[in-house]
Amino acid sequence: LLLVFWQRYKRDKDEGMKARELREFSVEELQHKQQELIEELFNLRFQLATGQIENVGRIAAVRRDIARVKTVQRERQLQSAS
């Protein structure tokens, strides 16, 4: 059980961006970051299809990063509407 928690901690520490880091970005930077992540996800999927991928877990990490970017964008959209 302790090993499972350690693996999750290590995974979260090594990969991905934190939402608080993304909140410091400007709107343009967030859009640029989202585009970069989408392109990276495309490349990772292509590598997966051709059998060239080294770290399959990176796909999930990039997907989570895209979700974080979209969440921060939505938060800002709701703040500006209020």
Side-chain angles (χ1 to χ4, degrees), residues 21-61:
E21 295 172 2
L22 292 171
R23 287 187 182 99
E24 297 172 1
F25 285 20
S26 69
V27 174
E28 293 80 18
E29 289 173 330
L30 279 174
Q31 290 172 345
H32 182 70
K33 185 66 176 174
Q34 182 179 2
Q35 188 60 36
E36 285 178 356
L37 290 168
I38 289 171
E39 290 173 12
E40 182 179 357
L41 183 60
F42 173 80
N43 291 331
L44 288 169
R45 286 179 175 161
F46 194 86
Q47 289 175 8
L48 181 65
T50 59
Q52 297 176 349
I53 195 163
E54 293 179 14
N55 183 3
V56 180
R58 183 72 183 133
I59 293 174

